Amino acid sequence: GYVKEKGEKGNAVTIDKPTVITKDAGGVTTVSAVLTGEVTNNDAANKIEERGLCWGTEPQSTIAGNHHNCGGDTGVGTSTFSYNLTNLQNNTTYYFRAYIKTNFGIVYGEEKSFTTMEKPVNQTISVNGVSFTMIAVEGGTFQMGATSEQSSWSNIDEYPVHTVTLSDYYIGETEVTQELWEAVMGSNPSFFSGNPQRPVEMVSWNDCKEFITKLNDLTGKNFRLPTEAEWEYAARGGNESQGYKYSGSDTIGNVAWYYGNSSSTTHNVKTKSPNELGIYDMNGNVWEWCEDWYGSYSSSSQTNPTGPSSGSFRVLRGASWSHGSIYCRVSERHRNFPDYRRDTYGFRLAFLMYN
């Protein structure tokens, strides 16, 4: 026991001290981890006013430093609580422990530690003699949708703006080129053919999935289309974002082939400036299919969202050579049937950093 009170007849009684358990960190990436605590053996006389986790880069972390209150608990027995810790430094050791505040004081659990992963590097992959680069995107938290810089041009389906947290992943440095498509599929469906460094187009969402299946067989990797959230986070520049209206600039002509400069055709990839992460052509050239079904946004915070479980349309992002600057904003959304092909539709690849 740890506190003595007067019983009904004035006798001293012992109130058992609750046990606080700090569990091992989970889901550790370069910038995030999930911390969990548990309360066991709680006496009914112990009113838990606050349960939480504290952390830091030095041992013996306390609530005087970094901490998160997971809320109180009026019950007795066992209760578990967690916190998704984000915006950490890569390759850094953190110390943490669970704690509770009761009407009799603060109780800490055993201290534990974890080390975030090293900052990932870009990968260059070759298939049938054609090489392409995948950009490493460090996960983080961002506001998805029509944020203030998107101006009055925004559409109703870009609201509500909501908080999204993503894990680390890779995304294509460029749109899939005609050269890469032909190396995998053996043919070229593009309307604007004749230059292998132009983006492939005239491909449906279903065609993209067929390509990815064959690419995975050839490489042994787990490529897929980016989710809509992954696409927008990368377009915004990830953790390096400067808050631009377009991907990498507030001046559309610097970063995109669009209606105003394209001469009504696609252009070679990597002939405009990249964005903050070194990614090219996320605006203009061709619309890019995403993994998700199209649906309305929710105001609630989300972690690694994948969109609705079903629907009629798949999402496209980024606009094309035939669209004006209003459609090239990083929050602009488009959709179409998954079997629909156009000379403005292409895609880029993605895969998770840690499977």
Side-chain angles (χ1 to χ4, degrees), residues 171 224-228 230-231 289-292 348-350:
I171 195 166
R224 56 170 172 78
L225 294 171
T227 66
E228 186 174 17
E230 289 170 345
W231 190 98
W289 288 106
C290 293
E291 190 76 23
D292 309 37
R348 75 178 66 225
L349 297 165

Side-chain angles (χ1 to χ4, degrees), residues 132-203:
F132 61 99
T133 297
M134 300 295 292
I135 300 293
V137 181
E138 290 186 78
T141 299
F142 76 109
Q143 296 300 299
M144 184 172 179
T147 45
S148 59
E149 80 287 343
Q150 298 300 299
S151 77
S152 59
W153 291 348
S154 54
N155 301 304
I156 189 65
D157 67 351
E158 298 170 45
Y159 295 94
V161 176
H162 53 289
T163 301
V164 171
T165 299
L166 295 176
S167 302
D168 304 338
Y169 61 99
Y170 284 96
I171 195 166
E173 179 188 37
T174 71
E175 296 151 333
V176 170
T177 62
Q178 295 178 28
E179 179 184 45
L180 178 57
W181 180 279
E182 193 161 359
V184 173
M185 304 296 285
S187 61
N188 182 4
S190 302
F191 177 79
F192 298 108
S193 59
N195 191 319
Q197 292 307 309
R198 290 188 181 192
V200 70
E201 19 84 12
M202 290 297 295
V203 291

Side-chain angles (χ1 to χ4, degrees), residues 5-221:
E5 289 187 331
K6 294 293 184 179
E8 292 181 359
K9 297 182 179 181
N11 299 321
V13 295
T14 300
I15 306 301
D16 288 333
K17 181 178 181 179
T19 301
V20 182
I21 299 172
T22 307
K23 299 199 170 186
D24 291 338
V28 179
T29 70
T30 56
V31 294
S32 65
V34 178
L35 309 185
T36 302
E38 183 179 9
V39 180
T40 62
N41 303 322
N42 185 34
D43 193 292
N46 290 315
K47 180 182 178 182
I48 297 179
E49 301 168 352
E50 183 178 319
R51 304 172 304 160
L53 296 131
C54 50
W55 67 91
T57 54
E58 298 294 333
Q60 299 303 307
S61 52
T62 71
I63 63 171
N66 297 319
H67 68 283
H68 178 78
N69 178 6
C70 297
D73 184 359
T74 57
V76 296
T78 299
S79 62
T80 302
F81 47 97
S82 296
Y83 179 56
N84 184 22
L85 186 58
T86 60
N87 298 318
L88 302 176
Q89 297 296 312
N90 65 80
N91 197 29
T92 301
T93 297
Y94 289 86
Y95 301 87
F96 70 102
R97 52 182 174 172
Y99 73 89
I100 59 171
K101 279 185 180 181
T102 76
N103 46 319
F104 297 120
I106 301 173
V107 181
Y108 289 99
E110 176 189 4
E111 186 165 68
K112 295 197 173 186
S113 66
F114 66 90
T115 301
T116 51
M117 295 183 175
E118 292 186 18
K119 186 173 183 177
V121 296
N122 300 340
Q123 291 190 23
T124 297
I125 298 161
S126 295
V127 56
N128 290 338
V130 175
S131 297
F132 61 99
T133 297
M134 300 295 292
I135 300 293
V137 181
E138 290 186 78
T141 299
F142 76 109
Q143 296 300 299
M144 184 172 179
T147 45
S148 59
E149 80 287 343
Q150 298 300 299
S151 77
S152 59
W153 291 348
S154 54
N155 301 304
I156 189 65
D157 67 351
E158 298 170 45
Y159 295 94
V161 176
H162 53 289
T163 301
V164 171
T165 299
L166 295 176
S167 302
D168 304 338
Y169 61 99
Y170 284 96
I171 195 166
E173 179 188 37
T174 71
E175 296 151 333
V176 170
T177 62
Q178 295 178 28
E179 179 184 45
L180 178 57
W181 180 279
E182 193 161 359
V184 173
M185 304 296 285
S187 61
N188 182 4
S190 302
F191 177 79
F192 298 108
S193 59
N195 191 319
Q197 292 307 309
R198 290 188 181 192
V200 70
E201 19 84 12
M202 290 297 295
V203 291
S204 68
W205 186 92
N206 293 335
D207 296 333
C208 296
K209 298 298 282 188
E210 181 181 355
F211 170 91
I212 288 169
T213 297
K214 291 186 177 182
L215 179 64
N216 287 340
D217 289 342
L218 289 169
T219 61
K221 292 189 175 293

